[in-house]
């Protein structure tokens, strides 16, 4: 895109208890958003993956499809006893799931949005995250398939009247994931059964190449997986989750991050330098690098290339969320949920911390399609009070906030990143703030301090006398710092004296237990 003026305007969907609105996105005139579509009654609303269509579920089982360019309703479907609905990635097809009136009734309908007629029907007894939508599409809608017991059924996305065009038998398959674009591959998960290990297998979507998996990884102690394909469909990251942690270090089970490529060049675990769960993982838009936040708190964050080599170490802190901006240059590390809401904004290409802030009690978070803004939302039913939308600049400075009595949803309208101009000029302007690039962790806490040669001439405010703090409050501060990584969050990799003392104590206890266990074994002999 040669000019930023040619870029599409940003839009935000905001859903309240009984209606939704479409806001014109930032920058806001007079610091207030204007509504492009005002309070349409609904029970749910969702953009298609490419942002061309908007799916709106209204009361009494009515599903409406809106054209996102004109914001007008183009098609309406009446589905009695409606339970769920979903749009295909490009908005060409609508799937609806309704309650059956008889055991033989086909209760899943695939509708052609343009013509408004059903093109395929099937029976589905129940619905779960792994079985809905019933028919899965690749991002470009070149591939469509459905998982059933021990089989994968494939369809022609351009002509569903052909029905099932071919089947692939995968005994025990429990979950599948199609590569994005091109949709040339899919990955299948088979859980453990009768002493056999669980496995993840990559297959081609081409019928002639499905005689055997292109790549395969087997492992034990796995009950579910989460798939993450990269953009060019070269490889898939998957988080293997076990309900029970046999090391007894976590009540929530055990997670391992695995990486599998379609050509079999890499098959195994991603080497992580800290013990603990995998909190979040996300590919950048380039598909050549991914970021992971992992380990017991304070969690560690690392950026790897697609050969699993470390590119950038982002330190430690109270984080469990990673968000790449759509251009793949900036990254937000955040700690939401039961964490205090810290956010750190990084320019990964320059290995530079742009800024940090907080967004407490956030439920959802995402970058704007142009990569300039980051939006967080506190929504119901997760939180019933202090519902709000906050928009930050990419350096962490707060741009806009709005409170709601009750807010259920806030999301950007998707747009292709290629439609927007580069953000180099924006990042250069942030560079004028002279924020120092973090030094090596050996520098200690001084690494977080800007050097005198790069620091802007800003007069420091006069120091205020410190308030009295009772001894228990001081101890609480130390405990919180150890738990949430206060030193690491400021750019230091060193541990406090108390944390180091506790670490040595735990190591001695482990050595003592190991010695006792070996002694007991010798006595038995």
């Amino acid at each position: 895109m040669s000019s930023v003026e040619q870029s599409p305007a940003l839009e935000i969907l905001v859903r309240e208890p009984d209606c939704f609105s479409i806001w014109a996105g930032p920058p806001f005139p007079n610091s207030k958003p204007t509504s492009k579509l005002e309070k349409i009654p609904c029970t749910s609303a969702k953009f298609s993956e490419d942002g061309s269509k908007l799916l709106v579920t209204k009361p009494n089982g009515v599903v409406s499809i809106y054209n996102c360019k004109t914001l007008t309703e183009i098609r309406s479907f009446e589905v009695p006893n409606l339970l769920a609905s979903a749009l295909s990635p490009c908005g060409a097809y609508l799937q609806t799931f309704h309650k059956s009136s008889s055991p033989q009734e086909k209760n899943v309908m695939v509708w052609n949005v343009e013509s408004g007629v059903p093109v395929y029907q099937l029976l589905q007894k129940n619905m779960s995250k792994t079985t809905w939508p019933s028919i899965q599409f690749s991002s470009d809608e070149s591939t469509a398939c459905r998982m059933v017991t021990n089989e994968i059924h494939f369809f022609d996305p351009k002509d569903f009247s052909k029905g099932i065009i071919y089947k692939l038998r995968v005994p025990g398959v429990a979950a599948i994931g199609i590569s994005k674009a091109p949709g040339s591959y899919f990955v299948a998960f088979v859980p453990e059964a009768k002493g056999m290990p669980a496995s993840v297998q990559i297959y081609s979507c081409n019928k002639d190449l499905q005689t055997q998996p292109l790549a395969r990884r087997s492992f034990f102690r796995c009950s579910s997986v989460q798939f993450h394909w990269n953009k060019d469909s070269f490889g898939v990251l998957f988080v293997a989750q076990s309900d029970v942690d046999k090391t007894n270090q976590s009540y929530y089970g055990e997670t391992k991050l695995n990486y599998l490529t379609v050509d079999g060049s890499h098959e195994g675990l991603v080497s992580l330098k800290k013990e603990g769960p995998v909190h979040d993982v996300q590919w950048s838009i380039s598909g050549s690098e991914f970021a992971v936040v992992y380990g017991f708190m304070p969690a560690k964050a690392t950026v790897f290339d697609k050969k699993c080599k470390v590119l950038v170490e982002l330190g430690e802190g109270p984080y469990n969320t990673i968000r790449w901006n759509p251009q793949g240059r900036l990254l937000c590390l955040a700690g939401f949920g039961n964490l205090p809401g810290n956010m750190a904004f990084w320019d990964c290409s320059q290995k530079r911390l742009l800024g940090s802030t907080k967004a407490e009690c956030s439920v959802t978070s995402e970058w704007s399609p142009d990569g300039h803004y980051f939006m967080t939302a506190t929504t119901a039913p997760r939180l019933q009070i202090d519902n709000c939308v906050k928009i930050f600049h990419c350096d962490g400075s707060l741009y806009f906030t709005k409170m709601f009595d009750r807010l259920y949803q806030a999301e950007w309208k998707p747009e292709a990143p290629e439609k927007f101009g580069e953000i180099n000029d924006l990042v250069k302007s942030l560079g004028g703030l002279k924020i120092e690039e973090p030094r090596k962790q050996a520098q200690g806490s001084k690494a977080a301090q800007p050097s005198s040669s790069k620091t802007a001439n800003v007069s420091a405010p006069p120091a205020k006398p410190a308030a009295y703090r009772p001894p228990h409050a001081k101890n609480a501060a130390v405990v919180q710092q150890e738990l949430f990584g206060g030193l690491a969050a400021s750019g230091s990799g060193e541990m406090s004296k108390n944390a180091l003392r506790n670490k040595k104590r735990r190591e001695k206890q482990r050595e003592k237990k190991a010695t006792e266990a070996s002694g007991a074994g010798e006595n038995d002999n």
Side-chain angles (χ1 to χ4, degrees):
M1 185 68 62
S2 60
S3 175
V4 176
E5 285 82 18
Q6 299 175 355
S7 302
L10 300 177
E11 295 179 3
I12 302 173
L13 183 149
V14 177
R15 182 166 65 90
E16 297 178 72
D18 299 319
C19 62
F20 79 94
S21 303
I22 300 292
W23 291 354
F28 298 136
N30 302 321
S31 301
K32 293 183 179 180
T34 57
S35 293
K36 301 180 71 172
L37 191 63
E38 190 70 39
K39 294 190 175 182
I40 304 298
C42 75
T43 57
S44 68
K46 183 68 177 177
F47 288 109
S48 62
E49 188 177 312
D50 66 349
S52 63
K53 304 289 194 306
L54 174 64
L55 167 66
V56 178
T57 305
K58 298 181 179 181
N60 302 322
V62 176
V63 179
S64 296
I65 308 297
Y66 284 74
N67 183 315
C68 289
K69 289 185 178 180
T70 61
L71 293 179
T72 56
E73 183 177 322
I74 58 175
R75 189 70 60 187
S76 180
F77 303 86
E78 292 188 11
V79 184
N81 301 317
L82 179 69
L83 298 177
S85 57
L87 270 178
S88 61
C90 298
Y93 296 101
L94 167 70
Q95 293 184 65
T96 59
F97 178 88
H98 65 269
K99 185 178 180 180
S100 300
S101 57
S102 65
Q104 292 76 28
E105 180 186 0
K106 295 182 178 180
N107 58 346
V108 174
M109 308 276 287
V110 180
W111 307 79
N112 185 300
V113 171
E114 184 177 355
S115 64
V117 299
V119 294
Y120 193 74
Q121 302 179 40
L122 57 93
L123 172 64
Q124 184 167 318
K125 294 182 178 180
N126 48 44
M127 180 178 63
S128 65
K129 289 184 178 180
T130 58
T131 60
W132 182 257
S134 300
I135 297 177
Q136 296 189 27
F137 293 85
S138 59
S139 296
D140 56 2
E141 294 189 4
S142 62
T143 302
C145 65
R146 180 193 179 210
M147 180 187 71
V148 297
T149 303
N150 298 327
E151 288 184 342
I152 312 295
H153 294 175
F154 288 85
F155 303 87
D156 182 353
K158 297 180 180 179
D159 187 2
F160 274 92
S161 63
K162 296 179 181 178
I164 301 169
I165 55 177
Y166 57 91
K167 302 177 182 179
L168 174 65
R169 183 166 178 79
V170 183
V173 61
I176 62 172
I178 304 179
S179 60
K180 294 187 176 180
S184 305
Y185 308 97
F186 76 93
V187 60
F189 167 64
V190 179
E192 299 177 53
K194 299 179 180 179
M196 298 296 292
S199 66
V200 168
Q201 308 165 42
I202 296 179
Y203 289 89
S204 171
C205 291
N206 187 335
K207 180 182 178 181
D208 298 331
L209 301 177
Q210 290 183 348
T211 54
Q212 61 183 3
L214 300 175
R216 177 190 178 100
R217 170 145 178 85
S218 300
F219 40 84
F220 287 99
R221 300 210 312 266
C222 178
S223 55
S224 62
V225 294
Q226 301 171 16
F227 298 124
H228 303 271
W229 279 99
N230 67 348
K231 183 184 177 182
D232 56 4
S233 302
F234 173 79
V236 59
L237 290 164
F238 60 95
V239 180
Q241 171 77 43
S242 173
D243 294 334
V244 178
D245 182 5
K246 292 192 175 181
T247 63
N248 293 323
Q249 290 182 302
S250 173
Y251 176 79
Y252 300 100
E254 181 182 14
T255 56
K256 297 292 183 181
L257 181 62
N258 299 261
Y259 182 44
L260 196 59
T261 57
V262 297
D263 61 0
S265 60
H266 193 287
E267 176 220 324
L269 292 171
V270 178
S271 179
L272 303 178
K273 297 181 179 180
K274 187 171 185 178
E275 292 184 356
V278 178
H279 302 288
D280 196 11
V281 57
Q282 189 179 38
W283 286 97
S284 73
I285 187 67
S286 66
S288 60
E289 55 190 4
F290 62 91
V292 191
V293 57
Y294 57 94
F296 297 112
M297 291 295 162
K300 188 176 182 67
T302 307
V303 179
F304 298 86
D305 65 13
K306 63 181 181 180
K307 294 183 179 179
C308 296
K309 295 180 180 179
V310 175
L311 295 178
V312 187
E313 291 282 6
L314 302 180
E316 297 183 350
Y319 304 126
N320 61 4
T321 303
I322 285 179
R323 295 288 184 268
W324 284 97
N325 84 328
Q327 285 69 30
R329 176 167 180 173
L330 307 182
L331 181 147
C332 177
L333 274 177
F336 298 137
N338 60 350
L339 296 179
N342 295 57
M343 297 193 300
F345 293 86
W346 288 83
D347 179 357
C348 288
S349 64
Q350 299 294 326
K351 302 181 182 179
R352 185 161 57 99
L353 180 65
L354 300 177
S356 59
T357 185
K358 268 191 175 184
E360 297 89 347
C361 303
S362 297
V363 177
T364 62
S365 60
E366 195 54 73
W367 285 93
S368 61
D370 65 354
H372 289 200
Y373 302 95
F374 189 79
M375 180 172 66
T376 65
T378 302
T379 59
R382 173 74 177 271
L383 292 171
Q384 302 290 343
I385 60 173
D386 296 333
N387 286 183
C388 66
V389 169
K390 293 182 180 179
I391 300 177
F392 299 85
H393 289 289
C394 60
D395 63 351
S397 58
L398 182 63
Y399 172 71
F400 170 81
T401 182
K402 181 177 175 61
M403 303 299 297
F404 292 83
D405 293 332
R406 190 66 57 85
L407 176 68
Y408 282 96
Q409 182 181 357
E411 65 179 67
W412 301 98
K413 187 188 84 168
E415 293 284 1
E418 301 81 21
K419 296 181 180 179
F420 296 91
E422 297 293 334
I423 61 173
N424 294 332
D425 294 338
L426 175 64
V427 176
K428 287 180 181 178
S429 68
L430 295 175
L433 298 176
K434 306 298 182 186
I435 301 173
E436 186 194 13
E437 180 177 339
R439 299 175 185 171
K440 295 182 179 179
Q441 293 186 358
Q443 297 291 334
S445 60
K446 293 181 180 179
Q449 301 176 359
S451 64
S452 58
S453 62
K454 293 188 177 182
T455 306
N457 295 325
V458 180
S459 59
K464 296 182 180 180
Y468 169 73
R469 299 177 66 193
H472 74 273
K474 295 179 181 179
N475 294 335
V478 172
V479 172
Q480 184 180 16
Q481 188 179 49
E482 293 176 8
L483 178 61
F484 293 127
L487 289 174
S490 63
S492 170
E494 296 183 354
M495 302 176 70
S496 67
K497 292 181 179 179
N498 286 343
L500 189 59
R501 190 182 302 114
N502 292 335
K503 181 180 178 182
K504 291 181 179 179
R505 185 182 296 115
R506 289 192 296 269
E507 290 175 351
K508 289 181 179 179
Q509 290 175 351
R510 283 197 292 267
E511 292 175 359
K512 183 178 179 181
K513 290 181 180 179
T515 303
E516 292 176 353
S518 61
E522 293 176 358
N523 293 334
D524 293 339
N525 295 330

